[in-house]
Short mmCIF file of all heavy atoms in Angstrom, two decimals:
data_model
loop_
_atom_site.label_atom_id
_atom_site.label_comp_id
_atom_site.label_asym_id
_atom_site.label_seq_id
_atom_site.Cartn_x
_atom_site.Cartn_y
_atom_site.Cartn_z
N TYR A 1600 7.67 26.13 1.40
CA TYR A 1600 8.39 27.39 1.19
C TYR A 1600 9.21 27.42 -0.09
O TYR A 1600 9.66 28.49 -0.51
CB TYR A 1600 9.30 27.67 2.40
CG TYR A 1600 8.50 28.03 3.63
CD1 TYR A 1600 8.17 27.08 4.58
CD2 TYR A 1600 8.01 29.33 3.80
CE1 TYR A 1600 7.40 27.40 5.69
CE2 TYR A 1600 7.25 29.66 4.90
CZ TYR A 1600 6.95 28.69 5.84
OH TYR A 1600 6.18 29.03 6.93
N ARG A 1601 9.45 26.24 -0.70
CA ARG A 1601 10.27 26.16 -1.92
C ARG A 1601 11.62 26.84 -1.73
O ARG A 1601 12.12 27.54 -2.63
CB ARG A 1601 9.58 26.84 -3.12
CG ARG A 1601 8.57 25.98 -3.83
CD ARG A 1601 8.11 26.68 -5.11
NE ARG A 1601 6.89 26.10 -5.62
CZ ARG A 1601 6.82 25.27 -6.66
NH1 ARG A 1601 7.92 24.96 -7.33
NH2 ARG A 1601 5.68 24.78 -7.06
N LEU A 1602 12.21 26.70 -0.57
CA LEU A 1602 13.51 27.30 -0.29
C LEU A 1602 14.43 26.24 0.29
O LEU A 1602 13.95 25.28 0.90
CB LEU A 1602 13.35 28.41 0.78
CG LEU A 1602 12.63 29.68 0.40
CD1 LEU A 1602 12.45 30.55 1.64
CD2 LEU A 1602 13.43 30.44 -0.66
N PRO A 1603 15.75 26.42 0.13
CA PRO A 1603 16.67 25.53 0.86
C PRO A 1603 16.43 25.73 2.35
O PRO A 1603 16.33 26.88 2.81
CB PRO A 1603 18.06 26.06 0.48
CG PRO A 1603 17.87 27.04 -0.60
CD PRO A 1603 16.45 27.49 -0.58
N ILE A 1604 16.32 24.67 3.10
CA ILE A 1604 16.08 24.89 4.54
C ILE A 1604 17.05 24.10 5.40
O ILE A 1604 17.49 23.00 5.06
CB ILE A 1604 14.63 24.61 4.97
CG1 ILE A 1604 14.25 23.15 4.75
CG2 ILE A 1604 13.65 25.54 4.33
CD1 ILE A 1604 12.98 22.77 5.49
N PHE A 1605 17.37 24.72 6.53
CA PHE A 1605 18.15 24.08 7.58
C PHE A 1605 17.13 23.86 8.68
O PHE A 1605 16.62 24.80 9.27
CB PHE A 1605 19.25 25.04 8.03
CG PHE A 1605 20.16 24.48 9.09
CD1 PHE A 1605 21.22 23.65 8.76
CD2 PHE A 1605 19.96 24.78 10.43
CE1 PHE A 1605 22.07 23.16 9.73
CE2 PHE A 1605 20.79 24.28 11.41
CZ PHE A 1605 21.86 23.47 11.06
N PHE A 1606 16.80 22.61 8.91
CA PHE A 1606 15.63 22.30 9.74
C PHE A 1606 16.05 21.60 11.02
O PHE A 1606 16.79 20.61 10.98
CB PHE A 1606 14.70 21.38 8.95
CG PHE A 1606 13.44 21.02 9.70
CD1 PHE A 1606 12.29 21.77 9.55
CD2 PHE A 1606 13.42 19.94 10.57
CE1 PHE A 1606 11.13 21.45 10.24
CE2 PHE A 1606 12.28 19.60 11.26
CZ PHE A 1606 11.13 20.36 11.10
N GLN A 1607 15.57 22.10 12.12
CA GLN A 1607 15.78 21.41 13.39
C GLN A 1607 14.47 21.46 14.16
O GLN A 1607 13.90 22.53 14.36
CB GLN A 1607 16.89 22.12 14.18
CG GLN A 1607 17.48 21.25 15.25
CD GLN A 1607 18.85 21.75 15.74
OE1 GLN A 1607 19.30 22.82 15.33
NE2 GLN A 1607 19.48 20.99 16.60
N LYS A 1608 14.02 20.29 14.53
CA LYS A 1608 12.72 20.18 15.19
C LYS A 1608 12.63 21.12 16.39
O LYS A 1608 13.56 21.21 17.18
CB LYS A 1608 12.57 18.74 15.71
CG LYS A 1608 11.25 18.11 15.40
CD LYS A 1608 11.40 16.63 15.46
CE LYS A 1608 10.74 16.01 16.66
NZ LYS A 1608 10.77 14.54 16.59
N GLY A 1609 11.51 21.83 16.49
CA GLY A 1609 11.31 22.71 17.64
C GLY A 1609 12.04 24.04 17.54
O GLY A 1609 11.91 24.89 18.40
N GLN A 1610 12.87 24.23 16.49
CA GLN A 1610 13.60 25.49 16.33
C GLN A 1610 12.94 26.29 15.21
O GLN A 1610 12.31 25.70 14.34
CB GLN A 1610 15.05 25.22 15.90
CG GLN A 1610 15.86 24.42 16.88
CD GLN A 1610 16.14 25.20 18.14
OE1 GLN A 1610 16.38 26.40 18.10
NE2 GLN A 1610 16.07 24.52 19.28
N PRO A 1611 13.14 27.63 15.20
CA PRO A 1611 12.62 28.39 14.06
C PRO A 1611 13.22 27.84 12.77
O PRO A 1611 14.40 27.48 12.75
CB PRO A 1611 13.13 29.82 14.32
CG PRO A 1611 13.48 29.86 15.76
CD PRO A 1611 13.86 28.45 16.16
N LEU A 1612 12.38 27.77 11.75
CA LEU A 1612 12.84 27.25 10.45
C LEU A 1612 13.82 28.25 9.84
O LEU A 1612 13.55 29.44 9.84
CB LEU A 1612 11.61 27.10 9.57
CG LEU A 1612 11.77 26.48 8.21
CD1 LEU A 1612 12.28 25.06 8.34
CD2 LEU A 1612 10.44 26.49 7.49
N GLU A 1613 14.94 27.78 9.34
CA GLU A 1613 15.94 28.69 8.78
C GLU A 1613 16.19 28.37 7.32
O GLU A 1613 16.33 27.21 6.96
CB GLU A 1613 17.29 28.51 9.48
CG GLU A 1613 17.36 29.06 10.86
CD GLU A 1613 18.74 28.79 11.46
OE1 GLU A 1613 19.75 29.10 10.80
OE2 GLU A 1613 18.77 28.24 12.57
N THR A 1614 16.29 29.42 6.51
CA THR A 1614 16.82 29.23 5.17
C THR A 1614 18.25 29.75 5.19
O THR A 1614 18.69 30.29 6.21
CB THR A 1614 15.94 29.91 4.11
OG1 THR A 1614 16.49 29.60 2.83
CG2 THR A 1614 15.86 31.40 4.27
N PHE A 1615 19.01 29.55 4.15
CA PHE A 1615 20.40 29.99 4.20
C PHE A 1615 20.89 30.34 2.81
O PHE A 1615 20.30 29.93 1.81
CB PHE A 1615 21.30 28.91 4.84
CG PHE A 1615 21.17 27.56 4.18
CD1 PHE A 1615 22.02 27.20 3.15
CD2 PHE A 1615 20.20 26.65 4.59
CE1 PHE A 1615 21.91 25.96 2.54
CE2 PHE A 1615 20.08 25.41 3.98
CZ PHE A 1615 20.94 25.07 2.95
N SER A 1616 22.00 31.11 2.77
CA SER A 1616 22.52 31.53 1.47
C SER A 1616 23.30 30.39 0.83
O SER A 1616 23.78 29.48 1.52
CB SER A 1616 23.42 32.75 1.64
OG SER A 1616 24.50 32.43 2.47
N ILE A 1617 23.39 30.43 -0.49
CA ILE A 1617 24.17 29.43 -1.22
C ILE A 1617 25.25 30.19 -1.97
O ILE A 1617 24.97 30.97 -2.88
CB ILE A 1617 23.24 28.63 -2.16
CG1 ILE A 1617 22.28 27.83 -1.27
CG2 ILE A 1617 24.05 27.73 -3.10
CD1 ILE A 1617 21.29 26.97 -1.97
N GLY A 1618 26.49 30.01 -1.51
CA GLY A 1618 27.60 30.83 -2.01
C GLY A 1618 27.91 30.58 -3.48
O GLY A 1618 28.33 31.49 -4.19
N LYS A 1619 27.69 29.34 -3.93
CA LYS A 1619 28.00 29.00 -5.33
C LYS A 1619 27.04 27.92 -5.77
O LYS A 1619 26.79 26.97 -5.00
CB LYS A 1619 29.45 28.49 -5.38
CG LYS A 1619 29.97 28.30 -6.76
CD LYS A 1619 31.44 27.94 -6.73
CE LYS A 1619 31.90 27.59 -8.12
NZ LYS A 1619 33.13 26.84 -8.11
N ALA A 1620 26.52 28.05 -6.99
CA ALA A 1620 25.57 27.05 -7.51
C ALA A 1620 26.22 25.67 -7.55
O ALA A 1620 27.44 25.57 -7.72
CB ALA A 1620 25.10 27.45 -8.90
N PHE A 1621 25.44 24.63 -7.38
CA PHE A 1621 25.99 23.28 -7.54
C PHE A 1621 24.97 22.35 -8.19
O PHE A 1621 23.77 22.66 -8.26
CB PHE A 1621 26.51 22.72 -6.21
CG PHE A 1621 25.55 22.72 -5.07
CD1 PHE A 1621 24.75 21.60 -4.81
CD2 PHE A 1621 25.45 23.81 -4.22
CE1 PHE A 1621 23.88 21.59 -3.72
CE2 PHE A 1621 24.58 23.81 -3.14
CZ PHE A 1621 23.79 22.70 -2.88
N THR A 1622 25.49 21.24 -8.68
CA THR A 1622 24.69 20.31 -9.48
C THR A 1622 24.51 19.00 -8.73
O THR A 1622 25.48 18.45 -8.20
CB THR A 1622 25.40 20.05 -10.82
OG1 THR A 1622 25.45 21.29 -11.51
CG2 THR A 1622 24.66 19.03 -11.68
N LEU A 1623 23.28 18.53 -8.69
CA LEU A 1623 22.98 17.25 -8.05
C LEU A 1623 22.38 16.32 -9.08
O LEU A 1623 21.63 16.75 -9.96
CB LEU A 1623 21.97 17.44 -6.92
CG LEU A 1623 22.37 18.35 -5.75
CD1 LEU A 1623 21.20 18.52 -4.79
CD2 LEU A 1623 23.58 17.79 -5.01
N VAL A 1624 22.69 15.04 -8.95
CA VAL A 1624 22.02 14.03 -9.77
C VAL A 1624 21.33 13.07 -8.80
O VAL A 1624 21.95 12.55 -7.87
CB VAL A 1624 23.01 13.25 -10.66
CG1 VAL A 1624 22.25 12.25 -11.52
CG2 VAL A 1624 23.81 14.20 -11.53
N ILE A 1625 20.04 12.90 -9.02
CA ILE A 1625 19.24 12.03 -8.14
C ILE A 1625 18.99 10.73 -8.89
O ILE A 1625 18.66 10.75 -10.08
CB ILE A 1625 17.90 12.74 -7.82
CG1 ILE A 1625 18.18 14.05 -7.07
CG2 ILE A 1625 16.97 11.83 -7.00
CD1 ILE A 1625 17.00 15.00 -7.03
N GLY A 1626 19.16 9.62 -8.22
CA GLY A 1626 18.93 8.32 -8.86
C GLY A 1626 17.90 7.53 -8.06
O GLY A 1626 17.99 7.44 -6.83
N ASP A 1627 16.94 6.98 -8.77
CA ASP A 1627 15.84 6.24 -8.13
C ASP A 1627 16.10 4.74 -8.26
O ASP A 1627 16.22 4.22 -9.37
CB ASP A 1627 14.53 6.63 -8.83
CG ASP A 1627 13.29 6.08 -8.14
OD1 ASP A 1627 13.44 5.26 -7.21
OD2 ASP A 1627 12.18 6.46 -8.54
N THR A 1628 16.16 4.04 -7.12
CA THR A 1628 16.36 2.58 -7.16
C THR A 1628 15.14 1.87 -7.74
O THR A 1628 15.24 0.71 -8.15
CB THR A 1628 16.57 2.00 -5.74
OG1 THR A 1628 15.41 2.30 -4.96
CG2 THR A 1628 17.82 2.56 -5.08
N GLY A 1629 13.99 2.55 -7.72
CA GLY A 1629 12.74 1.90 -8.17
C GLY A 1629 12.14 1.03 -7.09
O GLY A 1629 11.05 0.47 -7.27
N VAL A 1630 12.83 0.92 -5.96
CA VAL A 1630 12.29 0.11 -4.85
C VAL A 1630 11.48 1.04 -3.95
O VAL A 1630 12.01 1.99 -3.40
CB VAL A 1630 13.46 -0.52 -4.03
CG1 VAL A 1630 12.92 -1.32 -2.85
CG2 VAL A 1630 14.34 -1.36 -4.91
N ARG A 1631 10.17 0.79 -3.85
CA ARG A 1631 9.32 1.64 -3.01
C ARG A 1631 9.57 1.28 -1.55
O ARG A 1631 9.56 0.10 -1.20
CB ARG A 1631 7.85 1.47 -3.37
CG ARG A 1631 7.53 1.88 -4.80
CD ARG A 1631 7.64 3.41 -4.97
NE ARG A 1631 7.93 3.79 -6.33
CZ ARG A 1631 9.12 4.24 -6.76
NH1 ARG A 1631 10.13 4.38 -5.95
NH2 ARG A 1631 9.29 4.57 -8.02
N SER A 1632 9.77 2.29 -0.74
CA SER A 1632 10.09 2.03 0.67
C SER A 1632 9.38 3.07 1.53
O SER A 1632 9.84 4.20 1.63
CB SER A 1632 11.61 2.11 0.84
OG SER A 1632 11.95 2.05 2.19
N PRO A 1633 8.25 2.69 2.15
CA PRO A 1633 7.52 3.68 2.93
C PRO A 1633 8.35 4.22 4.11
O PRO A 1633 8.93 3.44 4.87
CB PRO A 1633 6.30 2.91 3.44
CG PRO A 1633 6.20 1.71 2.56
CD PRO A 1633 7.60 1.39 2.12
N THR A 1634 8.41 5.54 4.20
CA THR A 1634 9.21 6.18 5.26
C THR A 1634 8.75 5.75 6.64
O THR A 1634 9.55 5.60 7.56
CB THR A 1634 9.10 7.71 5.10
OG1 THR A 1634 9.56 8.03 3.79
CG2 THR A 1634 9.96 8.44 6.10
N ARG A 1635 7.43 5.55 6.79
CA ARG A 1635 6.88 5.13 8.08
C ARG A 1635 7.62 3.88 8.59
O ARG A 1635 7.96 3.77 9.78
CB ARG A 1635 5.39 4.83 7.88
CG ARG A 1635 4.68 4.19 9.02
CD ARG A 1635 3.26 3.89 8.60
NE ARG A 1635 2.37 5.00 8.89
CZ ARG A 1635 1.84 5.23 10.09
NH1 ARG A 1635 2.12 4.47 11.10
NH2 ARG A 1635 1.04 6.25 10.27
N GLU A 1636 7.92 2.95 7.67
CA GLU A 1636 8.57 1.69 8.08
C GLU A 1636 10.03 1.89 8.45
O GLU A 1636 10.50 1.33 9.44
CB GLU A 1636 8.46 0.65 6.95
CG GLU A 1636 7.04 0.12 6.85
CD GLU A 1636 6.80 -0.71 5.59
OE1 GLU A 1636 7.76 -1.23 4.99
OE2 GLU A 1636 5.61 -0.82 5.21
N THR A 1637 10.75 2.71 7.67
CA THR A 1637 12.18 2.89 8.00
C THR A 1637 12.31 3.71 9.29
O THR A 1637 13.20 3.45 10.10
CB THR A 1637 12.96 3.56 6.85
OG1 THR A 1637 12.34 4.79 6.52
CG2 THR A 1637 13.01 2.67 5.64
N VAL A 1638 11.43 4.69 9.47
CA VAL A 1638 11.48 5.49 10.71
C VAL A 1638 11.18 4.58 11.91
O VAL A 1638 11.86 4.66 12.94
CB VAL A 1638 10.49 6.69 10.63
CG1 VAL A 1638 10.30 7.36 11.98
CG2 VAL A 1638 10.98 7.71 9.61
N ALA A 1639 10.22 3.68 11.76
CA ALA A 1639 9.87 2.77 12.87
C ALA A 1639 11.03 1.80 13.14
O ALA A 1639 11.34 1.50 14.31
CB ALA A 1639 8.60 2.00 12.53
N ALA A 1640 11.71 1.34 12.07
CA ALA A 1640 12.83 0.40 12.26
C ALA A 1640 13.97 1.08 13.01
O ALA A 1640 14.58 0.50 13.92
CB ALA A 1640 13.31 -0.11 10.91
#
Side-chain angles (χ1 to χ4, degrees):
Y1600 290 96
R1601 277 188 196 257
L1602 290 173
I1604 63 165
F1605 182 83
F1606 181 92
Q1607 199 162 6
K1608 226 159 108 173
Q1610 299 291 322
L1612 185 62
E1613 287 179 50
T1614 183
F1615 54 92
S1616 60
I1617 294 181
K1619 188 174 173 199
F1621 54 93
T1622 296
L1623 299 175
V1624 182
I1625 298 164
D1627 188 352
T1628 60
V1630 178
R1631 298 290 155 253
S1632 171
T1634 302
R1635 171 184 270 279
E1636 287 169 21
T1637 56
V1638 168

